[in-house]
Amino acid sequence: MTQIVNVHEAKTHFSHFLDRAHAGEEIILAKAGKPYARLVPLAPPEPKKPRVPGSWPYVVPDSFFDPLPEEELAAWEGR
């Protein structure tokens, strides 16, 4: 069932119309007697998939574990 409501009434009773839309009803908001917007419920969110450790395909490059060059190591150590 769809109900047409003017903007002033919608502002005055917004929580009421929000609850009705959440319950599945479609509310048409009218401005100067002309349909202007529609208040409808959102689709329920999809359930989250469980996280699986190790499922990310990223591979750390071998160079990540190489020792730092002497100049960079000295800069980090304040030498």
Side-chain angles (χ1 to χ4, degrees):
M1 180 173 141
T2 302
Q3 180 180 4
I4 298 177
V5 178
N6 70 34
V7 173
H8 176 72
E9 184 180 358
K11 287 192 314 187
T12 304
H13 304 287
F14 184 69
S15 293
H16 171 72
F17 291 116
L18 192 60
D19 289 340
R20 287 173 55 181
H22 182 71
E25 189 175 339
E26 180 179 83
I27 310 291
I28 302 292
L29 304 177
K31 192 171 189 178
K34 296 182 180 178
Y36 197 74
R38 181 173 39 188
L39 186 61
V40 295
L42 290 175
E46 294 181 16
K48 289 187 176 185
K49 296 178 184 174
R51 295 177 65 179
V52 179
S55 64
W56 194 41
Y58 180 74
V59 177
V60 177
D62 291 336
S63 61
F64 180 81
F65 298 104
D66 290 347
L68 292 174
E70 186 56 40
E71 339 39 90
E72 192 168 343
L73 186 58
W76 279 100
E77 293 176 346
R79 297 187 266 143

